Amino acid sequence: MVRTKRITTGTDVVTANISFEFFPPQTAEGVEKLRAARAKLAALEPEFFSVTYGAGGSTREHTLEVVFDIQREVLPVAPHISCIGATRETTRELLTRYQAAGIRRIVALRGDLPSGTADAGEFRYANELVEFIRRESGDWFHIEVGCYPEWHPQAKSPKDDLLAFKRKIDAGANSAITQFFYNFDAYAAFVDAARGLGIEAPIVPGIMPIGSFSKLARFADACGAEIPRWLRRQFEAYGDDTASIRALGLDVVTGLCEQLLAAGAPGLHFYTLNQAGLTTEIVTRLRSRQDEP
Ligand SMILES: Cc1cc2nc3c(=O)[nH]c(=O)nc-3n(C[C@H](O)[C@H](O)[C@H](O)COP(=O)(O)OP(=O)(O)OC[C@H]3O[C@@H](n4cnc5c(N)ncnc54)[C@H](O)[C@@H]3O)c2cc1C
C-alpha cells in the first residue's frame, strides 16, 4: 500500500496556515502570562488562536474572558465549544454571543465529562453539535472538528472512528484538527483512509511541542497518543536533564512538521500550553530552513 498517495503535493512552509491553541488560565497571573505569550506568538501571524472549553462548561467564563481578550487585540480567534453536559439553550447562548461579536470560526467537540459526573446533557456526540450549530447559525461559522490519526481511545474500532469523523463532516464541518501524534505514518494513513471515504475537508495536524517528558507522557496516556519507543527511551535516558529533553524535542517536532508539510499537510495547529517559547522556535526553524538554498 502506498500510504502517502493522497498527500503528495508539498505545502510551502511560508504559506502554510498555522494556528495556536490556548487553554483559559484560572488566575489573573495566568491571564497576564498568556497575554505576553500571545504577543510573541502574534508576531508569527497565525491564521487564528483557539481557546479550549472545559467539558460541561467548566471553564465557560474563563474561556469567554480569553476569547474576548483576543478579540480586543484585534487578533483572529476560534473558541472551542464542547457539548457533553451542555443543553441546547446554553449552547445557543454561546453561539449567539460569538455571532454578535463577529467571531466566524468555532472548534466543535464532544469533550469528556470527569468520571462520576452523571449528567451527559442534550448532545451525545460531536456530530450532533455540528448539526445544531449549522441549524442555528447557517453558514456563519467555519466549523473545525477533532480527529484522531491513532484513533480515539473510546472508539470501538478504527473503522467506527473514521465513520464518526465522516458524520461530523457530513453534518457540516469545514475542516479538522488532529489529536497530537509523533508518528508521521499514522497521519498519512489516516488522511488516506479519510479520502478513501470521500472526506475532502482539510485535515490539519495537531502539533504538541515537547518541553517536559513527564508532562508529555501524562497527556499522551490521557488521550491515547503514542510516544514511539525510540523517542520515549531517549527521553527516559535524559532523566532530569531538561536542556537535552528540550533540544531533542525541538529537533523531533521540527522534523515531523517538515515531513508533514512536505507531504502536503495543509497547515499546523500548535498545542502551545500557553507558552510561546517552543512553538516560536519550531516555526522560526521551519521558516528559516525554507529560506536555505
Ligand atoms: C483539536 C482538538 C481540540 C480539543 N479541544 C477540547 C476542548 O476545548 N475541550 C474539551 O473538553 N476537549 C477537547 N478536546 C478533546 C475531545 O473533547 C475528546 O477527545 C473527546 O473525547 C472526543 O471529542 P470529539 O469531538 O472528537 O468527539 P466525537 O466525535 O463525538 O467522538 C467521541 C467518541 O465517540 C465515538 N462516536 C462518535 N459518534 C458515535 C456514535 N454515533 N456511536 C458510537 N460511537 C460514536 C467516536 O469514535 C469517539 O470514540 C479536543 C480534541 C482535539 C483533537
Side-chain angles (χ1 to χ4, degrees):
M1 177 178 135
V2 182
R3 289 199 142 176
T4 55
K5 69 175 189 281
R6 290 173 194 272
I7 50 166
T8 47
T9 315
T11 302
D12 189 307
V13 174
V14 177
T15 56
N17 287 327
I18 54 167
S19 50
F20 300 132
E21 182 171 312
F22 300 135
F23 62 85
Q26 306 289 315
T27 63
E29 192 194 349
V31 169
E32 274 316 311
K33 280 191 180 156
L34 179 56
R35 278 194 191 118
R38 196 157 62 236
K40 288 187 190 140
L41 290 167
L44 300 171
E45 301 186 337
E47 190 185 17
F48 63 90
F49 292 98
S50 82
V51 186
T52 63
Y53 184 86
S58 55
T59 68
R60 184 187 158 101
E61 290 316 312
H62 291 302
T63 297
L64 284 164
E65 193 183 326
V66 176
V67 165
F68 291 122
D69 219 14
I70 296 175
Q71 265 229 316
R72 274 191 292 278
E73 293 166 4
V74 203
L75 294 169
V77 64
H80 295 209
I81 297 188
S82 64
C83 63
I84 196 91
T87 64
R88 287 186 190 81
E89 196 43 47
T90 54
T91 306
R92 185 175 292 121
E93 271 169 29
L94 263 184
L95 293 173
T96 307
R97 279 184 80 168
Y98 290 146
Q99 217 172 341
I103 289 168
R104 300 300 300 254
R105 186 186 291 261
I106 281 215
V107 186
L109 301 138
R110 186 194 68 173
D112 291 311
L113 276 182
S115 55
T117 315
D119 189 3
E122 294 177 0
F123 301 91
R124 285 169 315 156
Y125 297 107
N127 65 298
E128 296 169 14
L129 174 62
V130 175
E131 257 167 47
F132 181 77
I133 298 172
R134 282 286 171 248
R135 215 170 36 245
E136 291 289 313
S137 48
D139 287 335
W140 178 265
F141 293 108
H142 177 111
I143 305 178
E144 307 268 0
V145 289
C147 64
Y148 303 84
E150 295 174 323
W151 314 116
H152 187 269
Q154 288 155 11
K156 275 196 249 136
S157 69
K159 180 146 189 245
D160 279 354
D161 209 27
L162 260 180
L163 291 173
F165 175 36
K166 185 168 182 339
R167 275 196 291 277
K168 295 190 274 195
I169 299 295
D170 290 346
N174 302 94
S175 47
I177 301 172
T178 76
Q179 184 56 275
F180 73 87
F181 59 89
Y182 297 102
N183 181 348
F184 168 80
D185 281 347
Y187 174 79
F190 180 79
V191 172
D192 226 13
R195 301 295 180 239
L197 266 189
I199 299 171
E200 292 301 330
I203 300 174
V204 176
I207 304 295
M208 179 75 86
I210 305 169
S212 144
F213 175 59
S214 53
K215 222 186 217 179
L216 176 69
R218 256 199 330 276
F219 289 148
D221 271 357
C223 70
E226 186 193 35
I227 305 173
R229 179 182 159 84
W230 63 269
L231 187 56
R232 187 162 36 86
R233 292 293 302 270
Q234 269 180 283
F235 282 133
E236 281 165 358
Y238 285 140
D240 294 335
D241 179 356
T242 49
S244 296
I245 291 172
R246 192 176 190 279
L248 175 63
L250 279 170
D251 287 346
V252 166
V253 177
T254 307
L256 175 67
C257 293
E258 277 181 324
Q259 200 179 6
L260 288 162
L261 293 175
L268 301 167
H269 178 80
F270 286 87
Y271 296 108
T272 69
L273 303 182
N274 294 4
Q275 308 286 321
L278 291 168
T279 300
T280 303
E281 177 68 25
I282 294 165
V283 174
T284 306
R285 283 190 192 188
L286 288 170
R287 288 179 176 169
S288 62
R289 282 184 201 173
Q290 169 91 359
D291 296 337
E292 283 169 12

